[in-house]
């Protein structure tokens, strides 16, 4: 075992605000196990979480959303480890675009980490991830960086053009070899563009964004099953849902059956939401009603006067 000090990224403050340390602890404890002693430490302006971990856990620690670098601790000395997270695509694909309603990139990474740590898999290239309310694809592009196959559904028909423009720009700047494919689910154009998709692939990783109402997820996805569902649910004034109410609960109730049917046995759903509306219990209830089981993860953090963002995780029981 090594005594490690995980340097907290300056970016993490704008993801988790004043609750940064607690959220970072929750993420770390989830991947290492809650029996670990985690200590907060400050050296000048640099902030660390210290923990003991094995060499084989370092690649996972490097991908934690708050981690900027890892140091090994020898008495009072901190020695930086020459290690980097192994990720595909340039980080600009995820962090480069700024748009209204974008989910914080690090929070998105945390959701993926919680999900990945809760499922069984041998090869990440075989893990399939769905974001059923994917906006402009922050989750899906992270999925590609992790080496997964990702799909998303978004009701806003304008999203496809925005995503294409963004991805093309970074491919050009970073000379990234890639492929695009467009089409309609089922092969035929439809009224309102429901089922229209674009697919972006690089080597053996890809993402597909499909226009449509997530309540029809099974039809839009041809009944495909996923290991992970990861999403930042609509909250706040910017993210009106299809029924134009600020409470996403009604929409989620319409979606729950198809989302649960889209998960493999043992699959995990990790959702970020504003816990002022809906309440955590109510949100969990929408999915436990369809046979899912709550996992004990929570990471509340105050974003603004009216938004306390939190995370729920649920698992589809294995057969
Ligand atoms: C918080 S935003 C997600 C932002 C996304 N993670 C990103 O960074 O681009 C929630 C998204 O859910 C979409 N949405 C709401 N209701 C939907 C529905 N019934 N079907 C599909 N998408 C929906 C909204 O249009 C919005 O883009």
């Amino acid at each position: 075992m090594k005594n490690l000090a995980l340097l907290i990224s300056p970016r993490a403050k704008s993801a988790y605000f004043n609750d940064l340390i607690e959220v970072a602890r929750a993420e770390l404890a989830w991947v290492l196990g809650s029996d670990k002693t985690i200590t907060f430490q400050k050296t000048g302006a640099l902030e660390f979480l210290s923990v003991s971990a094995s060499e084989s856990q370092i690649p996972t620690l490097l991908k934690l959303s708050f981690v900027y670098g890892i140091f090994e601790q020898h008495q009072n000395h901190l020695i930086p480890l020459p290690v980097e997270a192994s990720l595909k695509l340039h980080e600009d694909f995820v962090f480069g675009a700024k748009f209204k309603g974008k989910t914080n990139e690090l929070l998105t990474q945390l959701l993926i980490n919680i999900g990945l740590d809760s499922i069984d898999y041998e090869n990440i290239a075989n893990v399939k991830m769905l974001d059923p309310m994917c906006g402009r694809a922050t989750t899906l592009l992270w999925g590609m960086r992790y080496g997964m196959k990702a799909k998303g559904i978004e009701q806003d028909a304008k999203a496809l053009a925005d995503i294409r423009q963004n991805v093309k720009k970074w491919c050009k700047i970073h000379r990234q070899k890639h492929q695009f494919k467009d089409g309609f689910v089922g092969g035929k154009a439809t009224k309102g563009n429901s089922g229209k998709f674009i697919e972006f692939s690089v080597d053996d990783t890809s993402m597909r964004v499909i226009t449509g109402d997530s309540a029809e997820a099974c039809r839009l996805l041809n009944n495909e099953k996923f290991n992970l569902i990861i999403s930042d649910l609509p909250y706040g004034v910017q993210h009106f849902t299809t029924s134009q109410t600020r409470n996403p609960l009604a929409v989620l109730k319409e979606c729950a059956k198809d989302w649960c049917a889209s998960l493999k046995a043992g699959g995990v759903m990790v959702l970020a939401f504003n816990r002022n509306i809906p309440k955590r219990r109510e949100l969990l209830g929408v999915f436990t009603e369809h046979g899912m089981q709550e996992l004990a993860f929570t990471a509340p953090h105050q974003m603004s006067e009216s938004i306390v963002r939190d995370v729920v995780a649920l698992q589809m029981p294995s057969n």
Side-chain angles (χ1 to χ4, degrees):
M1 290 300 239
K2 287 178 183 291
N3 290 328
L4 300 177
L6 312 180
L7 177 61
I8 296 177
S9 165
R11 275 176 175 162
K13 186 85 186 165
S14 54
Y16 309 124
F17 308 95
N18 289 340
D19 300 301
L20 163 61
I21 305 305
E22 285 318 304
V23 174
R25 271 178 188 277
E27 187 183 13
L28 180 57
W30 190 256
V31 301
L32 288 187
S34 52
D35 53 327
K36 282 276 177 186
T37 305
I38 299 171
T39 319
F40 174 66
Q41 191 180 321
K42 201 162 187 247
T43 307
L46 304 182
E47 297 182 317
F48 301 88
L49 285 186
S50 300
V51 73
S52 71
S54 65
E55 182 93 41
S56 65
Q57 287 171 314
I58 291 178
T60 307
L61 296 178
L62 282 165
K63 286 186 185 161
L64 294 181
S65 68
F66 67 89
V67 170
Y68 198 43
I70 301 188
F71 292 69
E72 192 170 354
Q73 227 157 356
H74 284 290
Q75 283 126 18
N76 284 337
H77 298 288
L78 286 177
I79 301 155
L81 298 181
V83 284
E84 257 187 284
S86 104
L87 292 164
K88 298 174 195 280
L89 294 182
H90 192 279
E91 68 163 35
D92 281 347
F93 282 87
V94 169
F95 290 90
K98 296 292 168 211
F99 50 84
K100 198 173 161 189
K102 185 176 190 184
T103 305
N104 180 280
E105 299 87 350
L106 297 188
L107 184 265
T108 308
Q109 188 182 19
L110 175 143
L111 302 180
I112 294 174
N113 289 337
I114 300 308
L116 273 176
D117 200 76
S118 311
I119 58 167
D120 289 329
Y121 66 93
E122 275 174 20
N123 181 354
I124 196 148
N126 298 329
V127 174
K128 294 205 257 176
M129 180 177 75
L130 169 68
D131 182 346
M133 293 188 166
C134 71
R136 273 137 183 87
T138 309
T139 319
L140 310 183
L141 288 163
W142 257 130
M144 288 183 72
R145 294 199 76 205
Y146 272 65
M148 289 186 254
K149 300 205 170 37
K151 288 196 176 161
I153 301 172
E154 170 54 45
Q155 68 181 11
D156 180 358
K158 295 192 288 296
L160 293 194
D162 291 350
I163 293 166
R164 178 193 290 272
Q165 192 185 29
N166 177 41
V167 165
K168 271 197 153 172
K169 172 175 148 185
W170 298 118
C171 282
K172 194 167 172 198
I173 289 175
H174 296 297
R175 296 168 187 239
Q176 176 64 62
K177 281 200 179 135
H178 65 281
Q179 282 171 328
F180 268 117
K181 189 174 148 191
D182 319 81
F184 277 85
V185 172
K188 276 196 225 130
T190 54
K191 222 174 140 194
N193 278 336
S194 172
K196 186 173 184 189
F197 70 81
I198 56 163
E199 193 167 284
F200 168 57
S201 24
V202 171
D203 303 328
D204 58 352
T205 169
S206 64
M207 69 161 194
R208 174 182 284 212
V209 183
I210 307 164
T211 300
D213 182 350
S214 203
E216 295 186 278
C218 290
R219 180 183 70 78
L220 294 169
L221 297 162
N222 285 325
N223 295 313
E224 188 175 347
K225 305 257 185 209
F226 295 81
N227 306 82
L228 291 176
I229 289 185
I230 306 288
S231 203
D232 179 29
L233 302 177
Y235 57 93
V237 187
Q238 282 172 14
H239 312 303
F240 278 112
T241 55
T242 29
S243 52
Q244 302 291 293
T245 146
R246 281 195 61 184
N247 188 346
L249 212 56
V251 178
L252 292 171
K253 282 182 182 163
E254 286 168 20
C255 296
K257 186 164 158 272
D258 274 29
W259 290 14
C260 293
S262 302
L263 268 178
K264 294 184 183 189
V268 166
M269 181 186 286
V270 188
L271 307 172
F273 69 108
N274 173 12
R275 77 177 203 177
N276 289 330
I277 180 168
K279 297 287 175 214
R280 196 178 157 85
R281 278 278 127 227
E282 292 176 319
L283 177 60
L284 287 164
V286 170
F287 298 101
T288 51
E289 215 173 272
H290 291 272
M292 295 200 69
Q293 292 170 350
E294 178 186 353
L295 299 178
F297 184 80
T298 179
H301 48 286
Q302 182 100 38
M303 282 178 66
S304 65
E305 237 172 81
S306 59
I307 299 179
V308 180
R309 191 166 52 193
D310 196 2
V311 177
V312 289
L314 298 110
Q315 188 155 33
M316 188 56 83
S318 303
N319 292 331

